[in-house]
Amino acid sequence: MNDLVRQHTALSDTDLEWLHLLVSEWQLLSDLSFADLVLWVPTRDGTRYVSVAQMRPNTGPTSYQDDMVGHLVPRGRRPLLDAALDEGRIVREGDPEWREEVPVRVESIPVRREGRVLGVIARNTNLLTVRTPSRLELTYLQSASDLAQMIAAGAFPFPGQQVDMDASPRVGDGLVRLDADGVVQYASPNGLSAYHRLGLASDLVGQHLGQITAELAPSRGPVDEALVKMASGYAPREFEVECAGGVIQLRAIPLKPKGVRIGSLVLLRDVTELRRRERELITKDATIREIHHRVKNNLQTVAALLRLQARRMDSPQGREALNEAVRRVGSIAIVHETLSQNLDERVEFDDIADRVIAMVAEISPGKVTCRRTGRFGILDAEVATPLSMVLTEVLQNALEHAFSVAESGTVEVSAVRGGSPAEGRLLITVQDDGCGLPEGFDPQKAGNLGLQIVRTLVEGELGGTFGMVPAPERGTQVVLDLPVRNEK
C-alpha cells in the first residue's frame, strides 16, 4: 500500500498512516457486512482511482475471485465512487451488478480524516446466498452500518488504538451488542457460551454487561469500577477477565454513527486453553533455566573438588592434569550459566568465548596477550557446549607450547560467519606468534589428549574440519570450519 499511495496519489504520510490504521481494523467491517471491501484512492491528477487494499469476509462468500490491489479505474466508470468522493456521503443507489453470473450489491463509503475525504471503500456483497436474515445477521448488519457511518464521519478507526487483529477477538469468536447504558441488547451464541464459561448461569440479554462482568471476576473488595466501565463499552478498550472457570478476552468498540454514542460492540473470545498453554510454556522455560543453573552449580562444585585435589598432589604432572580438567569443566559451566539466563536453547557465543579466553589466559607462562576479533554470533546449545571445550583446548595448547616462561607474544582468536541462509558456516582461526610446530608434527596423529579431544569434538560431534599449520609469518595457526545454523 505504501508504494501504491506514494506512486499514484498526493496523500501525505499522516494520511497514509490513517489508511494503515483503517486497514488494520476493517476486517471487522467486512465480517459484519458479509461483504468484500476495496479501498480506492484518487490519483494525483484526479482522473483515476487506484485500489490500494482489499479485504474478504470470513462470514460470507467473496464477490471478487481475483486480487484487486493495484487496479486503476478512470473517473466516471464507477459513478458510486465519484458520488461518495465528491459528496462525502455513503452511496447505496443503483441496481446490483452481475459478475460471472453472480449478483453483487455495491456501496461506497467515504474515508474521512480531519474533514477531508482521502478515498472511498467499495463494499461489495455477494447476493447469491441471500435469505431471510436471522437475529444474529441483523445485528451484524446494523453494527456494520454504524461503523460505516463512523468511517464516513472520520470517527473510526480510533486514533492511537492500533489493534493486532491476529491477537484480538473477531466477529465470529463472540459478539455482544450494548445500548447506550451498557445493557445487553443481543449476544451471539459464542458470546453467551464465553460468559457461561466464566460462571454466568442466566441469559445475557437485558443485563448490564459491566456489572455482570465485575461480579463474575474474582474480587476480594468492592466491585471493580474500572472493569464495570470497560465492559460497558464507554471507550475503546481491550482487556481480559479471568476466573476459576476460564479466561475471556474482550474488546469494546463504542458506536457513534452521528457523533453521539448510541451503544457499543463488545467482541469476546474464550482464551482459556491459550493462556493455559502459555503458562505451561512459561513453567517449562523456567524449569529448563533452573536445570541449566543447577548443572552449572554442580560443574563448579566438581571443578572446586578437582582444584582441591590438585593442591594435594605431589606430582607436577598430576597437578597439571587436574588443572587442565578444571578448565575443561569450567568451559562447560560457562555455557550452562549463559543458558540459565536465556529463554531458549541458543546463546550469544561471543561472551562465552571472551570468558573462555580470560580463563585460559590465567595459565600464560609469560606476558602473552589473548584477544578476539570478529563475531561468533548466536549458536545452538548443542554447538556451543562442545565448541567451548574445543576453544579451551586450542588456547591452552597454544599458551603451553608456543611460548617459553619469560617470552611475550600474542594469541588471536578470529571468527567469521558466512555461507548461505540455509547452510551457514563458522570459520574460526586461532593464531599465535610463538615458536611454531616441531618438525614432522602431524596434528591428525598426535597423541596429546587435548588434540584428541579437539579432533573428536570437531569432526565427530560438530561435523566440521580441523587443521593445524604453520602461520604465514611466525607461529602456529589452527583453523576450525564448522556448519552452523544462521541467525534469524
Side-chain angles (χ1 to χ4, degrees):
M1 187 166 72
N2 287 353
D3 294 339
L4 289 170
V5 168
R6 288 169 180 155
Q7 179 182 353
H8 295 285
T9 78
L11 296 183
S12 65
D13 288 343
T14 52
D15 293 335
L16 180 57
E17 284 301 316
W18 183 261
L19 296 184
H20 273 293
L21 191 60
L22 172 66
V23 169
S24 73
E25 294 270 30
W26 70 344
Q27 179 74 63
L28 174 63
L29 177 62
S30 178
D31 290 344
L32 290 171
S33 304
F34 308 99
D36 290 75
L37 305 178
V38 180
L39 177 58
W40 297 93
V41 180
T43 56
R44 192 174 287 105
D45 57 10
T47 62
R48 296 181 296 176
Y49 298 96
V50 59
S51 58
V52 298
Q54 178 179 1
M55 178 58 66
R56 292 183 172 90
N58 293 318
T59 51
T62 183
S63 302
Y64 286 111
Q65 298 299 326
D66 299 326
D67 188 1
M68 295 296 296
V69 175
H71 282 215
L72 290 164
V73 174
R75 183 178 171 87
R77 179 176 294 179
R78 299 194 176 183
L80 297 186
L81 294 182
D82 298 338
L85 183 69
D86 297 338
E87 301 172 23
R89 65 180 180 88
I90 299 175
V91 182
R92 296 189 175 93
E93 298 89 351
D95 297 326
E97 295 181 3
W98 287 84
R99 299 175 188 163
E100 298 180 357
E101 300 183 356
V102 175
V104 176
R105 182 175 63 241
V106 181
E107 304 166 86
S108 294
I109 305 167
V111 177
R112 192 183 303 272
R113 174 182 175 268
E114 296 181 353
R116 296 166 43 244
V117 177
L118 307 182
V120 179
I121 295 176
R123 181 164 55 177
N124 304 270
T125 308
N126 187 324
L127 299 178
L128 196 61
T129 58
V130 168
R131 52 183 174 78
T132 303
S134 65
R135 178 74 187 281
L136 179 143
E137 290 167 335
L138 288 173
T139 303
Y140 276 21
L141 293 172
Q142 180 58 54
S143 302
S145 177
D146 294 335
L147 282 178
Q149 292 182 58
M150 291 171 65
I151 292 173
F156 187 84
F158 303 109
Q161 291 288 326
Q162 186 77 32
V163 175
D164 182 2
M165 291 305 296
D166 291 332
S168 295
R170 298 195 177 210
V171 170
D173 295 326
L175 177 144
V176 176
R177 172 85 185 219
L178 310 179
D179 65 13
D181 297 322
V183 176
V184 177
Q185 294 179 311
Y186 175 79
S188 71
N190 284 346
L192 185 59
S193 296
Y195 266 82
H196 285 166
R197 184 74 177 265
L198 287 180
L200 179 68
S202 60
D203 195 1
L204 268 178
V205 176
Q207 308 235 38
H208 191 281
L209 188 68
Q211 294 176 357
I212 286 291
T213 304
E215 290 172 5
L216 293 173
S219 176
R220 298 179 181 177
V223 174
D224 189 340
E225 295 295 336
L227 182 57
V228 172
K229 192 166 185 178
M230 285 191 294
S232 299
Y234 289 103
R237 293 287 185 272
E238 190 166 325
F239 56 98
E240 288 187 4
V241 177
E242 181 173 3
C243 66
V247 185
I248 305 300
Q249 183 183 22
L250 298 97
R251 183 189 175 200
I253 304 168
L255 297 175
K256 304 177 181 179
K258 296 181 180 179
V260 178
R261 193 174 71 86
I262 63 168
S264 305
L265 272 185
V266 178
L267 305 180
L268 53 152
R269 174 193 294 169
D270 185 346
V271 293
T272 305
E273 289 303 311
L274 178 62
R275 296 294 176 260
R276 182 186 63 80
R277 289 196 297 269
E278 287 178 351
R279 283 193 288 268
E280 287 180 353
L281 288 174
I282 291 172
T283 303
K284 181 180 178 182
D285 288 340
T287 302
I288 291 172
R289 289 199 297 271
E290 178 62 21
I291 289 172
H292 284 303
H293 181 71
R294 293 190 181 188
V295 169
K296 182 262 297 183
N297 288 345
N298 290 339
L299 289 173
Q300 289 180 336
T301 300
V302 171
L305 292 173
L306 291 173
R307 197 175 292 112
L308 286 172
Q309 186 66 37
R311 291 172 184 168
R312 297 173 177 270
M313 291 288 290
D314 296 328
S315 167
Q317 293 86 355
R319 189 182 305 114
E320 182 56 31
L322 287 176
N323 285 331
E324 287 182 4
V326 167
R327 287 188 286 273
R328 288 164 184 153
V329 172
S331 66
I332 302 175
I334 291 173
V335 176
H336 282 281
E337 181 179 4
T338 305
L339 288 169
S340 69
Q341 301 167 1
N342 289 349
L343 292 176
D344 56 17
E345 290 292 290
R346 307 193 74 194
V347 296
E348 177 65 60
F349 196 79
D350 294 312
D351 178 59
I352 294 175
D354 291 340
R355 294 176 64 181
V356 168
I357 290 171
M359 177 182 68
V360 178
E362 295 176 359
I363 68 167
S364 173
K367 298 179 180 179
V368 179
T369 302
C370 296
R371 63 171 180 263
R372 174 178 63 86
T373 61
R375 184 170 177 268
F376 287 86
I378 298 176
L379 299 176
D380 293 331
E382 57 264 27
V383 174
T385 301
L387 182 56
S388 67
M389 284 195 65
V390 168
L391 195 57
T392 300
E393 296 299 331
V394 172
L395 288 170
Q396 190 168 282
N397 189 71
L399 292 174
E400 284 183 355
H401 302 293
F403 305 97
S404 62
V405 175
E407 191 176 4
S408 62
T410 302
V411 178
E412 180 175 311
V413 179
S414 171
V416 178
R417 292 288 287 262
S420 65
E423 298 180 0
R425 308 293 300 183
L426 174 59
L427 184 65
I428 305 168
T429 304
V430 180
Q431 182 170 318
D432 64 70
D433 55 3
C435 62
L437 295 173
E439 187 174 349
F441 179 80
D442 185 356
Q444 299 299 329
K445 297 180 180 179
N448 182 304
L449 176 60
L451 290 181
Q452 289 182 16
I453 292 174
V454 170
R455 286 197 302 269
T456 301
L457 292 177
V458 170
E459 297 173 359
E461 190 162 343
L462 296 175
T465 59
F466 159 69
M468 179 181 284
V469 296
E473 297 181 1
R474 182 170 183 264
T476 305
Q477 186 179 77
V478 176
V479 180
L480 308 172
D481 188 359
L482 311 175
V484 293
R485 181 160 61 127
N486 273 335
E487 302 174 36
K488 294 183 179 179

